[in-house]
Amino acid sequence: MDAAVLLSYGAPLVSVLGAAESGDWLALDTGVRDAPLHRSVYFPERRCLAPLPDDLAQADEPRLAVALCHRDGRIRAAALPFAERYPGLLPLVVIRCADWAEPVRQRARQLLRDVLDADTAAGLAALVLRMGRRDRGVFAVELLTEVLGAAPRDRLDVLLASPDLAVRRFTYRLGVEHGRLGPGELAVAAGRDPDTVVQDVCSTAALAALRDAGPSDEVIAPLLAARGPRARSAGVTALRRAGQTERAEPFLADRSGLVRACARYVVRHHGGDPAAWYRERCVVPGGPVSAPGAVIGLAECGHRHDAGLLRSLLAHPDGRVRAHAVAGLRVLDAADADLLLPLIDDPVSRVVRETVHALLPHAKALPVGHLTGRTGRQWPRHVRTAAFRLLTARRGVVALRAAVAGLDDPDVKLRTWAEQGVRCWSPADDEPLVDTEVDELLERSRHLFSG
């Protein structure tokens, strides 16, 4: 348990436990062997905090907090009946519900069951869910589920907007399971929430509601407008049942491959031809500047004879189009090393990355001199990185030469990759084990193997 999570629950706990920073802050010590068991307590640093009265019924809130954190289970159990007086101690009661000592655990669980209601559940949800990851922590989670399942809607709304990711996921699942959220609400949440798990839960539930109630633009429109591809793909899929193929066509060129695949499914289901749609947009004069996703979409559903159309786009003025054209040639297994090699000089880093992916299978056939000449400092970082990756993919002395040269690169990440390349280097199968150049290169990088 992170101390900061617990300390966020109120001033009494801050005053008692604020000095503790490590994960051992719960391990309190009596410090006096012959004294009464709960006479005084210490943190692990042996710094005296506060004396405990012999009768814990007389203890104030800070001292009860100390007693609930005591290393002796008898003191923890004795303090629990009095913790109900102070709402600020409920977080410690939640922790004691997963206590290793059964008497402490049972008392804490009974107390939590008595005091937990919709108001307190909303404030304790984050802690309960964190404790649920521990052994014996499931009780508090089940109790939280039971209480929130019957809680007023305004309490759920607070948790649905919680900044805590685990709380939002839990509450949305709970709302779906108990039917507390309408299809329109689920669709809006799927479109707005940044978490992919929440998007999946809400979009799946919204689609299930559409299957039962029929098409509804109240659900489909927010999904189609969502930023997350999972939610958009759910909205596109819903268009099939709605019979609205024309609304699915623009998503054929979506930036997400998942959404493009769903759009092709919908279009085909209603007799359309996605490949023809893509070809039409790839031959528009000036190229598909407004829809670069159409280029990679053509490769995803086209044929090898479409490679010629993609090659014509390698010189397109839009870098996104050039990058998708390279990726499309790789998908179609039509990457020509001689044609793509000049693209490692491209000013757009995305184009260069796609070019490297396409050229890696052909690394041994690439001209070493051409690549080595692009490892100098006068080249942009993304060009130097591309040359380094292609040279090291050849293995053998060429890879070692590139790695040693990269030790002086001005970029920290590239120097780190070069160091790893030297340490992990091994000769190629067709190279001799003894080589003068190899000895010289390893000598230059001796500092990497010392210490």
Side-chain angles (χ1 to χ4, degrees), residues 108-125:
R109 290 179 176 181
Q110 185 57 51
L111 176 58
L112 187 64
R113 181 174 289 279
D114 292 340
V115 302
L116 194 66
D117 55 23
D119 293 327
T120 55
L124 294 173

Side-chain angles (χ1 to χ4, degrees), residues 215-451:
S216 170
D217 203 56
E218 178 190 9
V219 176
I220 297 177
L223 293 176
L224 294 178
R227 294 184 61 185
R230 297 170 187 265
R232 286 202 311 281
S233 65
V236 172
T237 303
L239 294 174
R240 181 188 68 83
R241 183 177 292 273
Q244 302 175 13
T245 313
E246 68 285 351
R247 294 180 68 183
E249 284 188 353
F251 293 93
L252 289 171
D254 194 90
R255 63 182 181 274
S256 166
L258 174 63
V259 178
R260 292 194 300 270
C262 292
R264 289 194 293 270
Y265 165 73
V266 174
V267 171
R268 288 195 188 102
H269 188 270
H270 290 273
D273 185 359
W277 190 92
Y278 287 131
R279 292 187 190 104
E280 181 182 349
R281 278 146 187 81
C282 288
V283 297
V284 172
V289 178
S290 61
V295 180
I296 186 63
L298 176 60
E300 290 168 343
C301 70
H303 305 283
R304 288 289 302 268
H305 60 74
D306 292 313
L309 184 55
L310 296 180
R311 292 190 188 100
S312 67
L313 298 173
L314 294 177
H316 194 279
D318 190 332
R320 297 172 300 169
V321 174
R322 296 197 302 275
H324 283 310
V326 175
L329 290 172
R330 179 168 55 87
V331 170
L332 292 175
D333 195 22
D336 186 316
D338 295 333
L339 182 64
L340 296 182
L341 184 59
L343 287 176
I344 68 168
D345 300 341
D346 197 282
V348 179
S349 59
R350 181 177 179 180
V351 177
V352 177
R353 286 196 301 270
E354 292 292 351
T355 301
V356 171
H357 288 320
L359 291 179
L360 278 175
H362 311 280
K364 289 189 176 181
L366 300 178
V368 175
H370 183 88
L371 297 175
T372 303
R374 279 149 180 78
T375 59
R377 298 189 177 198
Q378 71 275 20
W379 292 94
R381 179 190 180 277
H382 64 276
V383 175
R384 300 199 310 273
T385 302
F388 176 79
R389 291 187 60 188
L390 293 172
L391 286 170
T392 54
R394 296 174 62 99
R395 298 185 60 208
V397 67
V398 172
L400 180 61
R401 193 186 304 139
V404 173
L407 297 177
D408 299 324
D409 194 274
D411 183 76
V412 175
K413 285 188 176 181
L414 195 50
R415 287 201 306 271
T416 302
W417 294 334
E419 292 174 1
Q420 294 172 348
V422 173
R423 290 192 178 102
C424 301
W425 178 81
S426 61
D429 297 336
D430 56 348
E431 291 181 346
L433 296 178
V434 179
D435 186 282
T436 303
E437 183 183 5
V438 170
D439 293 341
E440 293 175 353
L441 292 171
L442 292 177
E443 181 65 24
R444 287 172 55 187
S445 54
R446 175 187 289 183
H447 63 281
L448 298 177
F449 302 96
S450 59

Side-chain angles (χ1 to χ4, degrees), residues 4-334:
V5 174
L6 185 59
L7 295 178
S8 66
Y9 278 87
L13 298 185
V14 173
S15 63
V16 175
L17 305 171
E21 295 292 341
S22 69
D24 298 328
W25 61 274
L26 290 179
L28 303 181
D29 190 0
T30 60
V32 181
R33 297 296 181 189
D34 299 326
L37 194 57
H38 52 273
R39 182 189 224 169
S40 61
V41 296
Y42 294 77
F43 277 116
E45 303 86 21
R46 302 287 181 176
R47 181 168 63 83
C48 184
L49 180 67
L52 291 179
D54 292 337
D55 183 7
L56 289 177
Q58 307 301 320
D60 57 11
E61 186 172 1
R63 287 173 175 80
L64 278 177
V66 170
L68 289 171
C69 297
H70 203 282
R71 61 165 42 187
D72 190 283
R74 291 169 292 177
I75 295 180
R76 298 197 301 275
L80 279 168
F82 311 109
E84 186 176 359
R85 306 172 184 169
Y86 306 105
L89 296 182
L90 287 181
L92 291 177
V93 175
V94 172
I95 293 175
R96 296 280 72 87
C97 286
D99 200 282
W100 65 270
E102 185 175 0
V104 179
R105 192 166 64 245
Q106 295 302 329
R107 287 192 183 186
R109 290 179 176 181
Q110 185 57 51
L111 176 58
L112 187 64
R113 181 174 289 279
D114 292 340
V115 302
L116 194 66
D117 55 23
D119 293 327
T120 55
L124 294 173
L127 180 61
V128 168
L129 294 175
R130 281 171 172 79
M131 291 302 299
R133 304 170 190 170
R134 291 188 171 188
D135 292 339
R136 302 177 293 271
V138 68
F139 168 83
V141 178
E142 292 176 346
L143 182 59
L144 180 70
T145 303
E146 177 183 335
V147 171
L148 290 181
R153 177 56 196 270
D154 60 337
R155 292 293 178 268
L156 287 184
D157 290 339
V158 172
L159 297 179
L160 292 173
S162 171
D164 189 284
L165 185 59
V167 171
R168 288 207 316 279
R169 290 177 176 179
F170 172 83
T171 311
Y172 273 112
R173 288 190 178 110
L174 183 70
V176 169
E177 181 180 348
H178 288 77
R180 305 292 298 276
L181 302 174
E185 292 178 284
L186 291 169
V188 171
R192 290 182 179 177
D193 200 284
D195 180 53
T196 57
V197 174
V198 173
Q199 293 172 17
D200 283 345
V201 170
C202 293
S203 59
T204 301
L207 288 182
L210 282 182
R211 286 193 293 268
D212 297 335
S216 170
D217 203 56
E218 178 190 9
V219 176
I220 297 177
L223 293 176
L224 294 178
R227 294 184 61 185
R230 297 170 187 265
R232 286 202 311 281
S233 65
V236 172
T237 303
L239 294 174
R240 181 188 68 83
R241 183 177 292 273
Q244 302 175 13
T245 313
E246 68 285 351
R247 294 180 68 183
E249 284 188 353
F251 293 93
L252 289 171
D254 194 90
R255 63 182 181 274
S256 166
L258 174 63
V259 178
R260 292 194 300 270
C262 292
R264 289 194 293 270
Y265 165 73
V266 174
V267 171
R268 288 195 188 102
H269 188 270
H270 290 273
D273 185 359
W277 190 92
Y278 287 131
R279 292 187 190 104
E280 181 182 349
R281 278 146 187 81
C282 288
V283 297
V284 172
V289 178
S290 61
V295 180
I296 186 63
L298 176 60
E300 290 168 343
C301 70
H303 305 283
R304 288 289 302 268
H305 60 74
D306 292 313
L309 184 55
L310 296 180
R311 292 190 188 100
S312 67
L313 298 173
L314 294 177
H316 194 279
D318 190 332
R320 297 172 300 169
V321 174
R322 296 197 302 275
H324 283 310
V326 175
L329 290 172
R330 179 168 55 87
V331 170
L332 292 175
D333 195 22

